[in-house]
Amino acid sequence: MTAFLKRFHEHATPLRYIALAVVVAVVAIALFAPLFAPHDPIAQDVANKLRPIGTPGHPLGTDQFGRDSLSRLIYGARIEIVVALGATLFACTFGTFLGLMGGYFGRLIETVTMRLTDVILAFPPIILALLIVTIYGSGVMTLIVVMGLLFAPNFARITYGQVVGVKHAEYVEAAKAMGAPTHRILLRVVLPNIMSPIAVQMSLTLASAILLESGLSFLGLGVVPPTASWGLMVAEGQRFMASNPDLLLAPAIAVVATILSFSVLGDALRDWLDPRSRKAARPKAAALAEVRA
């Protein structure tokens, strides 16, 4: 942890510290939503519907069903993180597998895996979402599968390009000469040496997944009501934008802040893992040390 903080500080800016704070806060709220939420997010109280911000007992007011907006915002963070993380892990696993197979074996396997990614990319996201939702119905697991399929080609192409560049490296040839099985070479030799761009892609995919989940839920293709979701809250709040704009603004701000924070941290991770950036950071740190001395 100390090494991580030191490396992060080398490339840190005030914006990146703010982004880190926002991501940590959102993840903490998602993990401990029952501790932070003052009310049940789906409990209705029609007598107190559409209460404004600052109402006693309801700091962010209530929606059209009398549900506490703050509690729904907090539980919505859990849905966003679960769906975004699940979709990213699914996309990373599936896409990296395709890239490893195509890049390492080449020929027929390369043709099959790379054409499969082209087929997935050929589907417009909304059309693919409609197709899968129609077959399997909406819900969290459906969202994870849809989004995982949509983002998998990005991981496949990145992995494929990296594998093609290292599969004839000396350490790979040495592992072959020692008689190591193919799966061990791929998982223990090739994969660890190409993890940097994959890790950066994961951080960027998290931001894209949150945006896509919000958009699909807004269109009614994602989370099923009355489950709390930021995209669903935006869709419900737009109908009362004139009289109760806070119903729309609070989840919209949460979506934008979280997406931007993950994107900023993705840039920081890219700089951290880039050897050229690390080399440039060392002279800078040394110069600062000399000035302070």
Side-chain angles (χ1 to χ4, degrees), residues 179-254:
T182 302
H183 72 274
R184 182 177 292 273
I185 294 175
L186 289 174
L187 297 179
R188 298 290 184 87
V189 180
V190 175
L191 188 59
N193 285 281
I194 62 172
M195 277 304 298
S196 294
I198 294 176
V200 173
Q201 182 61 36
M202 287 185 69
S203 67
L204 298 177
T205 300
L206 281 169
S208 300
I210 292 174
L211 177 61
L212 183 57
E213 188 282 327
S214 300
L216 292 175
S217 293
F218 179 85
L219 295 173
L221 301 175
V223 174
V224 179
T227 303
S229 162
W230 291 348
L232 196 57
M233 291 177 68
V234 172
E236 294 173 345
Q238 69 168 342
R239 292 180 291 170
F240 304 93
M241 189 164 51
S243 58
N244 293 74
D246 49 284
L247 290 178
L248 173 65
L249 291 178
I253 291 173

Side-chain angles (χ1 to χ4, degrees), residues 123-180:
F123 274 91
I126 299 301
I127 300 299
L128 181 59
L130 281 171
L131 176 64
I132 297 179
V133 168
T134 301
I135 297 173
Y136 297 102
S138 20
V140 172
M141 287 306 301
T142 304
L143 266 181
I144 291 174
V145 172
V146 170
M147 293 164 55
L149 288 174
L150 290 174
F151 292 124
N154 298 329
F155 288 95
R157 291 183 174 226
I158 289 173
T159 304
Y160 170 80
Q162 294 293 317
V163 172
V164 169
V166 304
K167 69 178 182 179
H168 295 302
E170 293 181 357
Y171 53 86
V172 177
E173 297 296 338
K176 291 179 183 178
M178 294 172 62

Side-chain angles (χ1 to χ4, degrees), residues 17-189:
Y17 277 118
I18 294 173
L20 179 63
V22 171
V23 169
V24 170
V26 171
V27 172
I29 289 172
L31 289 174
F32 304 105
L35 298 178
F36 292 108
H39 300 281
D40 185 338
I42 62 174
Q44 299 184 15
D45 183 8
V46 181
N48 289 308
K49 65 180 182 179
L50 297 177
R51 295 294 182 181
I53 291 178
T55 299
H58 303 285
L60 290 183
T62 60
D63 64 8
Q64 69 273 28
F65 298 107
R67 298 173 299 192
D68 182 62
S69 296
L70 177 59
S71 298
R72 291 185 63 75
L73 194 69
I74 290 172
Y75 273 88
R78 172 174 286 187
I79 293 295
E80 299 297 329
I81 295 300
V82 167
V83 172
L85 186 59
T88 300
L89 292 176
F90 180 92
C92 180
T93 303
F94 183 48
T96 301
F97 172 78
L98 293 178
L100 281 172
M101 294 298 101
Y104 188 79
F105 293 105
R107 298 184 180 180
L108 179 61
I109 296 180
E110 175 186 0
T111 301
V112 172
T113 55
M114 291 300 101
R115 295 301 75 77
L116 178 58
T117 62
D118 292 340
V119 169
I120 296 174
L121 288 172
F123 274 91
I126 299 301
I127 300 299
L128 181 59
L130 281 171
L131 176 64
I132 297 179
V133 168
T134 301
I135 297 173
Y136 297 102
S138 20
V140 172
M141 287 306 301
T142 304
L143 266 181
I144 291 174
V145 172
V146 170
M147 293 164 55
L149 288 174
L150 290 174
F151 292 124
N154 298 329
F155 288 95
R157 291 183 174 226
I158 289 173
T159 304
Y160 170 80
Q162 294 293 317
V163 172
V164 169
V166 304
K167 69 178 182 179
H168 295 302
E170 293 181 357
Y171 53 86
V172 177
E173 297 296 338
K176 291 179 183 178
M178 294 172 62
T182 302
H183 72 274
R184 182 177 292 273
I185 294 175
L186 289 174
L187 297 179
R188 298 290 184 87
V189 180

Side-chain angles (χ1 to χ4, degrees), residues 263-276:
S263 298
V264 170
L265 289 184
D267 292 339
L269 182 61
R270 179 198 60 206
D271 293 342
W272 180 19
L273 295 175
D274 187 351
R276 293 169 298 181

